[in-house]
Amino acid sequence: MQNEVVSREEWLEARRALLAKEKEATRLRDSVNAARLALPWVKVDKDYVFETPEGRKSLADLFDGRSQLLIYHFMLGPDWAAGCTGCSFLSDHVDGALPHLNHHDVTWVAVSRAQLDKIAAYKQRMGWKFPWVSSFGSDFNFDYHVSFSPEDLAKDNVFYNFTPMQPADANDELPGLSAFYRNDKGEIFHTYSSYARGPEELIGTLMILDRAPKGRNEDSTMNFVRRHDEYEEAAKAPSCCH
């Protein structure tokens, strides 16, 4: 792979044209962020219980004394042997952000339907520190449309990413991110959810690759990604082959 080679002057002209688009994208992102903050909220009246290393906790407990809670719906089902590769890729980026989030009144928690011992084993394997709890036996994952029962998958469609999806394109577990707010009276509100590629901007590695000469260099979305302990030694010589 090699792009057209031009003079420095021609490159500057092309780069300035791209800069105009980058600024347009930044302004659009700012506009989308403002619209996200302006979304109406839904009060959470249902009681959810999660299994944690410190015992059973409610949704309110997961806030850990803060007013904002981000829950990452990590794909690890009760019968899964290991966590989803893509969810693991995203989660590799979380621990370094935790001090900044916590000191900005935001708590981050991963939630999976796998039981706590399986979560703990995989978390130890990956070397992660962020809080990760189990919703096993709870409706939480089903209510937020990231887990689907065999009965769900036998229907004509399932509801994911705010739209009906063909079961053939679905799975028993799918990824997502949900945000919640807890006010001074202890009331909890669901403020936002994002699914599929929606949380992609949380993956710093992808944002870096987008600026590399070959970009993401993928045949399909994130097909190059492995769990961080499963990569083979990268070839040192330049190559277009894997």
Side-chain angles (χ1 to χ4, degrees):
M1 170 209 126
Q2 181 171 303
N3 290 16
E4 180 184 6
V5 178
V6 298
S7 68
R8 175 60 60 178
E9 290 75 18
E10 290 174 295
W11 183 88
L12 281 172
E13 182 180 356
R15 180 63 187 93
R16 287 180 182 130
L18 175 60
L19 178 60
K21 291 186 176 182
E22 288 177 334
K23 289 183 176 181
E24 181 181 355
T26 298
R27 289 190 291 269
L28 178 58
R29 185 179 68 230
D30 290 343
S31 175
V32 169
N33 287 342
R36 183 183 295 118
L37 292 176
L39 275 176
W41 296 352
V42 177
K43 188 176 180 182
V44 180
D45 291 318
K46 194 169 185 177
D47 293 326
Y48 296 104
V49 177
F50 304 87
E51 299 293 337
T52 84
E54 296 79 32
R56 304 184 86 193
K57 290 187 177 183
S58 66
L59 182 62
D61 293 330
L62 297 188
F63 282 79
D64 197 23
R66 302 181 182 91
S67 70
Q68 300 167 88
L69 173 66
L70 291 175
I71 286 183
Y72 183 65
H73 303 287
F74 194 114
M75 295 169 63
L76 179 56
D79 300 324
W80 288 36
C84 161
T85 302
C87 292
S88 300
F89 186 37
L90 183 149
S91 297
D92 280 338
H93 298 78
V94 173
D95 281 347
L98 286 180
H100 307 286
L101 293 173
N102 293 166
H103 284 86
H104 207 54
D105 194 31
V106 177
T107 296
W108 174 282
V109 178
V111 173
S112 298
R113 278 206 316 123
Q115 292 175 303
L116 200 58
D117 56 347
K118 182 171 290 189
I119 288 174
Y122 190 67
K123 182 178 177 181
Q124 181 178 24
R125 170 186 164 183
M126 295 287 100
W128 295 326
K129 303 298 183 185
F130 58 80
W132 192 354
V133 304
S134 170
S135 61
F136 184 77
S138 163
D139 293 333
F140 183 77
N141 281 47
F142 299 101
D143 288 350
Y144 287 89
H145 307 290
V146 290
S147 293
F148 305 94
S149 68
E151 292 76 20
D152 292 330
L153 296 173
K155 297 177 182 177
D156 291 337
N157 57 65
V158 298
F159 188 76
Y160 180 69
N161 203 16
F162 313 108
T163 189
M165 170 188 280
Q166 293 295 315
D169 298 323
N171 197 13
D172 59 336
E173 306 290 336
L174 289 173
L177 178 78
S178 292
F180 301 87
Y181 176 75
R182 187 169 186 252
N183 65 18
D184 292 339
K185 295 189 293 184
E187 297 171 317
I188 297 175
F189 303 88
H190 175 219
T191 66
Y192 177 74
S193 282
S194 182
Y195 303 99
R197 290 184 63 184
E200 187 174 272
E201 289 185 345
L202 279 62
I203 306 177
T205 300
L206 292 181
M207 305 301 110
I208 295 171
L209 286 174
D210 285 341
R211 286 138 179 94
K214 291 185 179 181
R216 300 185 187 186
N217 196 26
E218 58 190 6
D219 299 320
S220 58
T221 303
M222 297 199 308
N223 74 313
F224 63 93
V225 173
R226 304 291 181 270
R227 298 178 184 89
H228 63 239
D229 62 354
E230 294 178 344
Y231 285 109
E232 297 179 3
E233 185 68 25
K236 295 183 180 180
S239 173
C240 63
C241 303
H242 292 294

